[in-house]
Amino acid sequence: MNYYFDWKDGIKEDELNIAIEELKNGKLLLVPTETVYGIAANAYLDDACRKIFDAKKRPQDNPLIVHVSDKGMISEIAEEPNEIEKELIDNFMPGPFTLILNKKKVIGSVVSANMNTIGIRMPSNEIVNRIIKKSRIPIAAPSANVSGRPSGTCVEDVIDELKEKMDVIIDGGKCKIGIESTVVKVIDGVPMILRPGYITEQDIERVAGSVRLSDKLFETIEGNDHVESPGMKYRHYAPKTKCILVEYGDNQINRINEIIHKNNNVCVLGYEEDKSFIEVEDSRFINLGSRNDLKKVSQNVFSALRNIDKIENCELAIVEGIEKKGLGLSIMNRLSRACEN
Ligand code: TXA
Ligand code: MG
């Protein structure tokens, strides 16, 4: 790392100029967004984007999302959106929403992993937005984590695993939302959710009149299966400790307690209101927040998954599921991909 900028209390203009110079010169920046931190590079430079794949140990066939600051920038890099796509852009950008559009040639094959499309996102976070707006450079950025690990929602969580690969680290504090953007592709006139996120199925239906959920959101994908989004094929978000998910439903707490008593050295990732019924020591209970405040849960979920590995002598983490509805569906997508069952 060459530069560490602390912008928790605001952007510092002299440092902003340095960050932009570095971006122009093909360097890698760790930047906050409202969803999760990103490993950012100039999307016009293939060599810079190749370094992202190296830093993350990311499979070469998994494309990067390109971040823009305004609609003018979308038209520089993507073909004209259709009516439904325009509606989605007007309603959900800027924000935690990624739309897949056909790409223009200015975006190279490294970013798009040789696909004809690219994911476009207009972040609302002030820091990343200012960098893009002032530099006029679209930023390619995946989530900040080594592939397969939980995404980073604060600098402290990822600095050890990424600091050697980053040229600039910008600390903007804890991410407001905490889970990644909703990834959507309009297919035959109907928006399909390829990755659920903060913008829910219901939000999209309200705007577009219809919506479909990919049938692969909770599946393990076999080698040659066709997927709309390469990211679906890979294990994600996993702590080093073995994790199992106990699905929401009847007797959930009894089912958890049974597993606790059959195993040694467990910990539990669960909800505030269940804590007193779950038969594990306080120091082995990781609190996700209340089931009635899913926004808070989404903000906590990745740090909580990372905290599993900090519990001493833990051989098994038992993860409490919630109902797959609204934001709960997006949280469950992350939790189930982190678990081995
Ligand atoms: O909130 C977010 O989206 C964060 C922040 C940093 O913006 N970014 C992020 O990027 O989560 P990443 O690379 O970790 O996840 C992007 C997902 C991957 O699963 C990828 O396969 C999918 O989006 N994706 C990207 N481009 C695509 C494309 N052209 N077609 C289908 N899926 C695509
Ligand atoms: Mg990711």
Side-chain angles (χ1 to χ4, degrees):
M1 158 183 43
N2 297 327
Y3 299 100
Y4 173 88
F5 297 151
D6 181 351
W7 292 359
K8 289 200 280 292
D9 296 323
I11 297 169
K12 298 183 183 131
E13 291 301 321
D14 51 335
E15 293 177 346
L16 176 64
N17 293 332
I18 297 173
I20 288 173
E21 262 323 289
E22 293 282 292
L23 187 67
K24 282 190 178 146
N25 293 330
K27 301 292 174 62
L28 291 191
L29 286 70
L30 183 75
V31 294
T33 84
E34 70 276 27
T35 55
V36 300
Y37 274 76
I39 301 174
N42 183 336
Y44 291 139
L45 303 178
D46 270 359
D47 280 345
C49 293
R50 244 178 235 118
K51 289 198 274 182
I52 296 179
F53 284 83
D54 171 51
K56 259 186 88 92
K57 302 193 180 80
R58 184 178 178 100
Q60 300 292 327
D61 69 346
N62 196 3
L64 307 175
I65 293 174
V66 180
H67 299 68
V68 299
S69 58
D70 51 74
K71 283 192 200 167
M73 240 176 172
I74 299 180
S75 51
E76 281 171 35
I77 59 178
E79 299 295 345
E80 177 77 2
N82 65 29
E83 286 311 309
I84 292 179
E85 290 161 344
K86 277 187 194 148
E87 280 290 312
L88 295 171
I89 291 170
D90 287 343
N91 279 275
F92 299 124
M93 293 191 190
F97 183 79
T98 296
L99 185 63
I100 308 295
L101 291 175
N102 289 324
K103 78 173 188 78
K104 283 189 175 167
K105 286 204 180 72
V106 285
I107 296 295
S109 58
V110 176
V111 172
S112 67
N114 287 314
M115 295 173 81
N116 300 324
T117 53
I118 43 165
I120 296 197
R121 173 155 127 71
M122 197 187 292
S124 63
N125 173 283
E126 199 197 337
I127 292 176
V128 66
N129 189 278
R130 271 295 294 290
I131 296 173
I132 301 168
K133 208 174 209 150
K134 190 163 180 192
S135 65
R136 302 300 306 159
I137 294 173
I139 283 181
S143 55
N145 54 281
V146 169
S147 277
R149 301 273 297 140
S151 303
T153 50
C154 60
V155 169
E156 294 79 8
D157 279 355
V158 288
I159 191 151
D160 287 342
E161 75 189 45
L162 294 176
K163 65 174 180 265
E164 273 161 29
K165 307 278 187 180
M166 296 298 116
D167 298 294
V168 182
I169 291 182
I170 300 175
D171 194 342
K174 198 172 168 174
C175 296
K176 283 212 176 92
I177 290 178
I179 55 171
E180 306 91 334
S181 61
T182 307
V183 177
V184 170
K185 182 176 184 182
V186 177
I187 301 173
D188 299 331
V190 180
M192 180 183 279
I193 299 182
L194 303 182
R195 178 179 69 185
Y198 191 77
I199 306 283
T200 63
E201 190 185 357
Q202 292 75 22
D203 295 332
I204 294 168
E205 185 166 31
R206 222 171 288 131
V207 164
S210 60
V211 65
R212 283 191 295 163
L213 279 178
S214 161
D215 57 6
K216 306 268 173 23
L217 298 185
F218 290 93
E219 272 182 30
T220 318
I221 314 286
E222 301 298 333
N224 295 324
D225 281 9
H226 169 76
V227 284
E228 282 296 341
S229 183
M232 293 169 162
K233 289 191 296 200
Y234 299 106
R235 180 121 194 269
H236 280 301
Y237 318 123
K240 291 176 184 133
T241 311
K242 179 179 178 185
C243 300
I244 55 166
L245 181 72
V246 177
E247 296 267 358
Y248 174 78
D250 291 343
N251 295 319
Q252 189 182 20
I253 291 179
N254 290 343
R255 284 182 281 137
I256 290 172
N257 285 334
E258 247 173 59
I259 300 172
I260 292 176
H261 296 304
K262 277 194 196 141
N263 289 274
N264 295 318
N265 304 329
V266 302
C267 77
V268 175
L269 193 82
Y271 306 95
E272 214 156 87
E273 47 273 63
D274 300 342
K275 187 173 174 212
S276 58
F277 304 102
I278 291 176
E279 293 158 0
V280 74
E281 298 145 60
D282 279 3
S283 62
R284 293 186 160 262
F285 183 87
I286 299 172
N287 194 340
L288 280 166
S290 166
R291 288 178 191 270
N292 300 318
D293 186 357
L294 293 184
K295 290 187 177 173
K296 216 30 201 253
V297 174
S298 80
Q299 207 193 19
N300 288 339
V301 69
F302 285 129
S303 281
L305 284 168
R306 282 176 177 270
N307 284 340
I308 290 173
D309 292 334
K310 294 182 192 152
I311 292 194
E312 240 175 272
N313 287 328
C314 183
E315 286 164 32
L316 178 69
I318 303 165
V319 177
E320 243 197 310
I322 41 171
E323 220 176 332
K324 291 178 185 154
K325 156 174 123 183
L327 190 50
L329 178 98
S330 311
I331 295 166
M332 277 298 284
N333 169 265
R334 308 313 191 265
L335 291 178
S336 62
R337 292 221 181 267
C339 294
E340 290 181 19
N341 54 332

